[in-house]
Amino acid sequence: MASWLMKSEPEEFSIDDLKRVKREPWTGVRNYQARNFMRDDMKVGDTVLFYHSNCDEPGVVGLARVASKPYDDPTQFNPESHYYDPKSDPDNARWQMVDIAYKRRFKRTLSLQTLKANAGALGDFALTRRGNRLSVLPVSAEQLATILELEKQTD
DNA sequence: GCCAACGTTGGC
DNA sequence: GCCAACGTTGGC
């Protein structure tokens, strides 16, 4: 079973929003590499680290899981949507996504700062690689274990 | 196919 | 709000 990290701006959609709605279609990803992870590599049941970006304290704030197989992101066909993509052919859609289901919220944010401070234990981590802006990225089993251990320490 | 211009992400 | 580090677009 693989694990992933998925970023969301809490002002747009936070871990508390996910807790409330239980399950959410991960619409709006418009980066090919991030799409490929969802479309080609995610499996139902995979662990998701839910990450808050563009906020006071960026970091991992909880856990979710992949709750659906990949399917076409409906927002790409909706001219009213911020994520509308007029170049996407409905018969051969450009953007796929998965649903994410709430698992649990961390008591405290495991901050980006803490993750960077533990760069040694985390090894080569896509999140902290120089210049990385991917909103969906892979997490190794070792990295997941390290992060869950760090969560206990910061409780 | 090159590459300048432009748009976006996201930490700070 | 700034800006580095990207990714994308489109003229040629």
Side-chain angles (χ1 to χ4, degrees), chain A residues 6-109:
Chain A
M6 296 172 86
K7 298 178 186 174
S8 185
E9 301 190 13
E11 286 190 16
E12 296 294 321
F13 188 82
S14 73
I15 185 75
D16 294 317
D17 293 325
L18 183 62
K19 183 176 184 178
R20 194 178 62 250
V21 301
K22 306 280 197 291
R23 176 175 173 143
E24 179 76 3
W26 209 250
T27 56
V29 171
R30 295 293 180 268
N31 170 281
Y32 289 106
Q33 213 180 336
R35 177 209 65 185
N36 290 349
F37 286 135
M38 291 198 287
R39 187 191 64 185
D40 303 335
D41 299 321
M42 281 191 181
K43 301 280 182 263
V44 173
D46 280 0
T47 298
V48 173
L49 296 168
F50 198 102
Y51 181 94
H52 281 173
S53 67
N54 242 321
C55 55
D56 285 348
E57 193 184 23
V60 179
V61 291
L63 298 180
R65 64 183 163 77
V66 176
S68 79
K69 292 184 173 177
Y71 61 102
D72 293 349
D73 180 341
T75 63
Q76 70 195 303
F77 304 125
N78 177 6
E80 307 293 308
S81 170
H82 176 62
Y83 301 115
Y84 179 54
D85 183 351
K87 292 181 184 168
S88 183
D89 173 4
D91 294 325
N92 186 19
R94 188 179 285 195
W95 305 110
Q96 285 75 39
M97 51 162 219
V98 297
D99 290 355
I100 296 301
Y102 177 78
K103 207 182 249 178
R104 68 180 173 87
R105 193 196 202 296
F106 287 178
K107 287 181 189 142
R108 290 175 37 189
T109 299

